[in-house]
Amino acid sequence: MGNLLEHIGIEKDRLHFSWISSAEATKFVKVAKEVTESVKALGPNNRLVKKLG
Amino acid sequence: MDSLTDKIRTLCTGLLKDGKVDMIVGFKKGTIPMSSCPCVARTPEQAKELIWDSNCTLNLANYLTNRKEKIGVVAKGCDSRNIVNHIIENKVTRENLYIIGVPCDGMVDKRKIRALFNDDITLFSEENNKLFVETASEKKELDKQDFLKNNCTTCIHRNPVIYDELAADPVEEQKIENRFADVIKIENMSSDDKWNYFNDLIKDCIRCYACRNACPLCYCPTCFVDESNPQWVGKGQDINDVRTFHLLRAYHCAGRCTDCGACEEACPMDIHVRAFTRKLVKDSCEIFDWEPGLDPNKRPALDTFNPDDPDGFIK
Amino acid sequence: MTEGKTKIVAFLCNWCSYGAADLAGVSRLQYPSDTRVIRIPCTGRMSPEFILSAFKEGADGVWVSG
């Protein structure tokens, strides 16, 4: 999925995958921060968004 | 080519007469020049209408889905790969099929030929890799090689991979240096260019779903575009909905698409819909070393788990 | 994106990441609040439709975690 979205011009960092066990709260926090930062760095998403009205 | 037609007719008439099959799925002549039309022959008389030429572009595996009869099917390389797909996905059983394999040296692209003429084509014939095309005002002799469909030019499985009988001697497979040159070209674009390229590509789409209907892989009883609860895709012409449709259609074919080109052939707006699926064909080739429809005993790449599967994208 | 806030849709597996998120909460660990969590019964429930729908509805990012 990531590859095809990137292929049509969606920035790669908008879509993240991770694998966290239920005992890894610290990893969850770490990944959550990473994801947020990388998406923030890209700014708002205008592509793919369906404008209403 | 005429000898192929004769051979197919003889074979099919024989099969029907002996009661080996209930019906034959093949092609008959289309109603306008340079066209063909899928047809079902149930009697030896009907089998006399069958033909084979460079316009048999659609994928006949599409007509086998969920059939329970004994069916004889005329299959070129890509059709046979889709039949293998069907067998793997339990849409048809091998015992119920009698496959007449046709080694294929490529189908012609009607659009490329039509673009050469100002008026409608009135006559089309072919002989030894030469095409003879006539309109009311012009007459041209063309080289078939120059007018192959785009997917045929990068095809490396021209001979059927599975068959009970071959209608002709196998043809030599093409050796292609860089099969995915077109995909790589897009991969090297910037994000913005890619975005514009695909937006431009689908701007003419009228959402007729001909690409879906022509595709032998698309056999879901309810397609995601027709689902209303939840509604994945809006019904209108909103560019986002059109894009969602094309993306999801392509993604549903991931690891299954044989690049037969039926979707593009069926498109009334001449959209290069394979641009989406090509990327996935390339990916399944590179990531999983998987080409669909080659072996009925192998499970498809997205259907199996292997501890060695690449997982670099997972954090 | 409204008021400078990023919207990230997180699809979390009930048994793995959702548990981890829960544990992070119970342990009072601080993490960014830009994610909107959707619990799925298993990552196997995930499908490309979800991701595209999330983007269509205006998500800035999507995070799938098993």
Side-chain angles (χ1 to χ4, degrees), chain A residues 1 3-11 16-19 27 31 34-35 46-51, chain B residues 183 186-187 191-192 194-195 198 234 238 240-241 243 247 251 275-276 279-280 283 287 313-315:
Chain A
M1 188 79 207
N3 281 354
L4 184 62
L5 279 186
E6 198 195 339
H7 192 60
I8 67 148
I10 303 296
E11 299 90 340
H16 293 262
F17 296 91
S18 66
W19 184 29
K27 183 175 178 189
V31 178
E34 280 173 23
V35 171
N46 297 318
R47 296 175 179 170
L48 284 182
V49 182
K50 187 173 178 182
K51 307 248 166 23
Chain B
V183 189
I186 302 174
E187 277 172 356
S191 226
D192 290 335
K194 285 177 184 171
W195 186 250
F198 280 99
D238 189 298
N240 285 291
D241 289 327
R243 187 183 309 112
L247 275 175
Y251 210 72
F276 291 90
K279 166 71 178 163
L280 293 165
D283 278 358
I287 303 176
F313 66 97
I314 300 175
K315 279 204 191 72

Side-chain angles (χ1 to χ4, degrees), chain B residues 21-124:
Chain B
V21 296
D22 300 325
M23 59 197 226
I24 298 274
V25 179
F27 284 102
K28 67 177 180 187
K29 211 153 187 55
T31 45
I32 52 170
M34 205 164 66
S35 72
S36 70
C37 150
C39 81
V40 169
R42 289 176 192 274
T43 60
E45 285 70 46
Q46 287 170 338
K48 293 198 176 78
E49 285 185 11
L50 293 170
I51 57 141
W52 192 268
D53 62 15
S54 294
N55 296 311
C56 299
T57 38
L58 289 175
N59 196 321
L60 292 178
N62 204 11
Y63 302 92
L64 306 176
T65 319
N66 292 334
R67 305 293 313 202
K68 300 278 180 268
E69 304 96 325
K70 273 286 236 180
I71 305 179
V73 56
V74 187
K76 53 187 179 296
C78 42
D79 297 30
S80 77
R81 290 176 65 198
N82 275 103
I83 292 172
V84 171
N85 254 336
H86 265 16
I87 296 171
I88 291 176
E89 293 169 3
N90 296 325
K91 285 289 131 189
V92 71
T93 55
R94 180 69 183 93
E95 299 76 58
N96 277 350
L97 291 178
Y98 192 93
I99 304 167
I100 300 156
V102 184
C104 158
D105 49 10
M107 293 290 151
V108 299
D109 191 326
K110 302 176 178 94
R111 284 155 194 147
K112 286 186 195 163
I113 296 180
R114 272 187 205 134
L116 295 180
F117 298 93
N118 293 322
D119 41 2
D120 288 344
I121 286 158
T122 49
L123 204 75
F124 173 90

Side-chain angles (χ1 to χ4, degrees), chain B residues 110-223:
Chain B
K110 302 176 178 94
R111 284 155 194 147
K112 286 186 195 163
I113 296 180
R114 272 187 205 134
L116 295 180
F117 298 93
N118 293 322
D119 41 2
D120 288 344
I121 286 158
T122 49
L123 204 75
F124 173 90
S125 62
E126 56 186 306
E127 213 179 311
N128 299 333
N129 278 325
K130 288 268 179 233
L131 309 172
F132 305 96
V133 189
E134 274 178 47
T135 71
S137 59
E138 280 178 282
K139 202 168 170 179
K140 276 187 187 163
E141 188 184 318
L142 308 167
D143 247 335
K144 181 175 165 184
Q145 282 305 319
D146 301 339
F147 293 92
L148 287 185
K149 274 172 54 176
N150 289 333
N151 63 311
C152 296
T153 56
T154 57
C155 172
I156 53 166
H157 299 284
R158 290 179 146 185
N159 292 307
V161 292
I162 178 176
Y163 54 83
D164 294 290
E165 202 156 359
L166 273 185
D169 295 329
V171 293
E172 198 184 333
E173 295 288 1
Q174 300 189 99
K175 294 210 172 33
I176 292 152
E177 285 279 307
N178 191 354
R179 277 171 67 202
F180 296 107
D182 52 334
V183 189
I184 294 167
K185 203 174 118 207
I186 302 174
E187 277 172 356
N188 290 334
M189 290 182 189
S190 72
S191 226
D192 290 335
D193 287 347
K194 285 177 184 171
W195 186 250
N196 294 333
Y197 173 83
F198 280 99
N199 274 355
D200 195 47
L201 195 75
I202 56 172
K203 71 175 192 303
D204 291 331
C205 179
I206 54 171
R207 296 277 293 280
C208 62
Y209 304 140
C211 44
R212 174 197 71 182
N213 289 355
C215 179
L217 301 172
C218 288
Y219 52 66
C220 293
T222 308
C223 177

Side-chain angles (χ1 to χ4, degrees), chain B residues 256-292:
Chain B
R256 306 161 69 217
C257 177
T258 57
D259 208 14
C260 68
C263 45
E264 244 174 47
E265 185 61 28
C267 182
M269 304 304 288
D270 298 353
I271 297 172
H272 175 42
V273 284
R274 274 171 52 249
F276 291 90
T277 48
R278 284 283 286 167
K279 166 71 178 163
L280 293 165
V281 173
K282 176 170 179 275
D283 278 358
S284 70
C285 217
E286 285 175 357
I287 303 176
F288 299 107
D289 194 16
W290 167 257
E291 278 197 77

